[in-house]
Every structure is written in structure tokens, then in C-alpha cells.
Amino acid sequence: SSSSSSCSSSSSSSTSTTTATAITLVYANMLGSATAGIIARICTHPLDTAKARVQANSNSHSVAGISSTVAKKKNAMIYRGPLDVLLKTARTEGLSGLYRGFGAVVVGGTPGTVLYLTSYDWAKQQLAQITSASSTTTTTMQSSKAQDFAIHFSAGMFAEAVACVIYVPVDVVKERLQVQHHQRVSITTATTGQQSTATPPTTTPQYYKSSWHAVQSMWRTEGLASLYKGYGATLLSFGTYSGLFFVLYEQLVEQLQHYHHLSTRDEVPFAGTLFCSCTAGAAASWITSPLDMAKLRLQIQRQRQQSTTTTTQQPHNTKVLYQTVWDCLVHAYRHEGGVKGLFRGAWARVLHFAPATTVTITSYEMCRSWFAKALLPAAAAGGDG
């Protein structure tokens, strides 16, 4: 009887410790992803601003509601590439211009990053368990690789679908703030012939003073739906990106493990993680660049229409709205130089996403490991108690 009681007590203690460990690892993943998201945003937000402004430019459409012909004649702010954006923005707007929309990204994007990374890990584990249970001993290497592809791509898509509930409103607010000063400069130069950074009248409906002011203004004038403008386009763009990124990243890490004869991925050196995440991020961001360009134009088009009708008073320029992603892609291909138009801002996207993803993934791997080591002893002590 005493022996039975002892075994029962030991089993209960073991179960309690296992549960505490599992919960601690979840907390470690959440803290690691939150920290990684903030670090990545601080390091790469100016590159995101450059990407947004390059992609917002259009040869055939108006630049900030002004026809490109007028803009060129009046020396309006038209960017030649991401480096040009960074230099001109730093010169005319200072550091605050490069970090426009940063508040929305940190406050809203951080929980989005937590959802994104933790959802991916969860989905990957669940899908792996399902496929392993249904697989047979005669599974070939080719089918195994196909399963891995399906698992990582599906997990990436699932993570993006979950995170987009937070990401889309943050993205819409961020992008409108990022491009609005570009619009302000263009409007001023087109009407006076001289470059100026003077703030437009407060009655201009599309000018937002801050992230919170943008949310309030959009809610009041355009309704809740405006915060989720381009939801499907965002899911298509970021979902495809996430799926491709994780497929490439996981394959590269696996190859690195085999090459260095490592037993677990935790043994992969920092330089290896850096290389895998950077390579996967650059490739995935380049491939999905046309979708990202279409998504951005869908999200900022309402603002551009308001800018046109309230500042230039030219009704014939108001029709700059795209109805769907396909509409954006077809227009870019037909009127902006074919394939070149589809990949407008592609290098800016790679310049942003490659380092952003690299910093996020490497910081996440390191931070969650650090948090796990810091929290596990406390969890074990609590379980023993």
C-alpha cells in the first residue's frame, strides 16, 4: 500500500513537472518572438519605408494624386530606388520620416509577430504528427520531401492567416503614414515649383498626425472596413511569402545539419542560422514582390483618391482605384513596362525583408533559447514543490 502510494505520488509529480515545462516553453516562445519582433522593427523600419514609397510610385498613375507629367515638370519628389528614398527622406524629413508609422508597428505588430511565430511552430508540430501517423515504412525519400514541403508551406500559410487579423490593420495604418509625407512634398512642389516640407492644412483629410490619429480618422470617415482594406491581398502576398520562406529556411537548416553532422537544429551555429534566414528571406521576398506591390496599392488607394480630389481639384485624375489584386497586376504589366512594372520595388522589398527576416528569425531562435534556460529552473522548482 505504501509502495503504491509512493508510485502514485511520483507519477503525479512527474506529470506536474512535464506540464510546467511545456507551459514554460510556450512562455519562452512568446517572449522570444515578441523580443525578436521589436529588435527587427527597430533595425529595419527605414528600409520598410523605402519599400513602401518606391512601390507607391507609378509611371502612369498619379504620384500622390498628381499626374506624373506634371510631377516631373514641377520637380516633384519621385524616387529612383530605395537608396534614393532613404537619402531624400533623411534630408527633407529627418529621422522621424524614416520611422513614420513605427508606433503602429511596435504596438500592434509585436503581438502579431508573437501570433505568427508561435502559430507556425504549433501548426508544424501538429502537421508533422498527422503525417507521421499516416505514413508507412515504405515511404520513399521523394515523398518524404514532398511531405516536408507541404508541412512547412501549410504551416507558414496558417501562421500568416492567424497573424493577419492583427497584421492587416497595422499594415494599412503604417503604409498610409509612410507614404503621406511623400504626397505632401509632391503636392507642394507641383503647385509652387519649389521643394518644401511645410505641413499641409489640417483640413486635408488624408494627413495623419500619428498612428492613433490615423486609426481614429479612418474609423470615422471610412468605417471599420478601411482598417482591413486589402485583407485578401495581404493574405495572398504574406501567406505565399511565409510559405515559401519556411520551406526554404527549413530545407537550408536541414542541409546544414547534415553537412556538419549535427544531431539537432539547436546545435546549428549562429552564422548558419543567419545564412539560412537571409537566403530564404531574399528569395521568398523577390518571388512574391508583385503581390506585395498590388497589396500596398490597394491599401493606400483611398487616401490617394482623397488627395487628388481635395488638393488638385482635377476630377479626371480621381479614377486611380484598383478593384482587385489582379487589376493591379494587369495595370502594372500593361502600363508600367511589362515585367518591370510587376517587379517595381522588388529590390527595395528584398533590401527590407532579407535583413528583417534574418534579424527576426535569428533573434527568435536565440531569445527563446535564452528565455527557456532562464525560466525552466523556476518551472522545475515549482513542479517539484
Side-chain angles (χ1 to χ4, degrees), residues 63-66 176 179-188 206 300 303-304 307:
V63 178
I66 304 170
R176 290 196 179 190
V179 302
Q180 75 171 0
H181 198 74
H182 165 49
Q183 294 177 340
R184 181 175 68 178
V185 174
S186 298
I187 292 168
T188 304
Q206 83 282 357
I300 68 172
Q303 184 184 15
R304 182 173 291 173
S307 171

Side-chain angles (χ1 to χ4, degrees), residues 3-43:
S3 175
S4 176
S5 176
S6 176
C7 288
S8 176
S9 175
S10 175
S11 176
S12 176
S13 176
S14 176
T15 302
S16 176
T17 302
T18 302
T19 302
T21 300
I23 294 173
T24 300
L25 290 176
V26 171
Y27 285 142
N29 287 348
M30 292 176 66
L31 289 170
S33 56
T35 305
I38 293 173
I39 293 173
R41 294 296 183 180
I42 292 174
C43 295

Side-chain angles (χ1 to χ4, degrees), residues 166-173 176 214-216 218-219 222-231 299:
I166 295 177
Y167 274 154
V168 173
V170 170
D171 217 34
V172 172
V173 171
R176 290 196 179 190
V215 172
Q216 289 179 309
M218 291 169 64
W219 185 292
E222 303 174 47
L224 177 63
S226 65
L227 292 171
Y228 282 90
K229 188 177 291 294
Y231 185 92
Q299 289 177 329

